[in-house]
Amino acid sequence: CNSWLSGFIEADGGFKIRFSEKHIDDKTHKTISKGRVEVRFVIEQRQFIDKPLNNSYKPIMLEINKFFGFTTDLRESKHNLDKNYWIVEVSSLSRLKVLIQYLSNYPLLSAKRNDFNDWLKVYELMVNKKHLSEDGKL
């Protein structure tokens, strides 16, 4: 293993945190939406290096998919009418641990490292179940 994935993450990776409040209907007292805290890592790459020659980024993205232990095919996304992308998206805490271990050996060097460090704090709250407390949510 080497640092090539760190470079790829610097360019096209994203560390996402999702927080939503629990909402209860005032009249029925039924839960409309559950509160949630979630960490997620996403890497997205356009499908073709050179569309006329049909050179694709799919083999590289499949390697990244395999790195996280996925055996399924890549997800696809469409931006505008003519921009198609491959996506690897990880939200499982155990699979995210693989990413954290990798980045401890091959750290990010750009400002994206700050995003990762903030994201890592939330990941650690979740692993330790502290995200469920009021202080943890804050």
Side-chain angles (χ1 to χ4, degrees):
C1 206
N2 57 38
S3 62
W4 73 269
L5 182 56
S6 288
F8 217 85
I9 292 168
E10 294 274 14
D12 297 307
F15 300 96
K16 300 176 182 253
I17 300 168
R18 178 180 172 189
F19 173 77
S20 58
E21 294 278 355
K22 182 176 182 177
H23 293 286
I24 298 174
D25 186 286
D26 292 334
K27 293 178 184 176
T28 64
H29 302 290
K30 290 188 178 184
T31 300
I32 297 170
S33 63
K34 295 180 180 180
R36 174 184 292 189
V37 178
E38 178 182 68
V39 288
R40 184 175 293 266
F41 169 75
V42 179
I43 195 160
E44 189 174 73
Q45 183 63 51
R46 68 184 183 274
Q47 288 187 353
F48 294 99
I49 299 168
D50 185 352
K51 199 165 189 172
L53 296 176
N54 206 27
N55 292 333
S56 174
Y57 278 108
K58 189 172 185 177
I60 294 167
M61 294 299 284
L62 283 169
E63 284 299 313
I64 294 170
N65 214 31
K66 194 183 336 177
F67 172 80
F68 288 106
F70 293 118
T71 55
T72 57
D73 204 2
L74 297 166
R75 288 189 38 227
E76 296 182 48
S77 174
K78 189 173 203 121
H79 299 235
N80 302 324
L81 294 175
D82 61 342
K83 301 214 177 7
N84 297 311
Y85 290 80
W86 301 116
I87 299 172
V88 175
E89 190 168 24
V90 186
S91 59
S92 155
L93 294 180
S94 61
R95 287 189 170 147
L96 289 171
K97 185 176 182 179
V98 171
L99 175 66
I100 293 163
Q101 290 169 338
Y102 174 85
L103 290 176
S104 72
N105 290 322
Y106 305 103
L108 300 172
L109 303 175
S110 73
K112 194 166 283 191
R113 184 178 190 153
N114 297 331
D115 295 339
F116 171 70
N117 288 337
D118 291 341
W119 175 91
L120 184 58
K121 289 175 189 172
V122 177
Y123 170 87
E124 289 170 349
L125 286 172
M126 293 180 69
V127 167
N128 296 316
K129 305 282 187 223
K130 291 184 178 178
H131 69 292
L132 302 171
S133 71
E134 286 306 311
D135 284 344
K137 288 178 187 175
L138 291 175

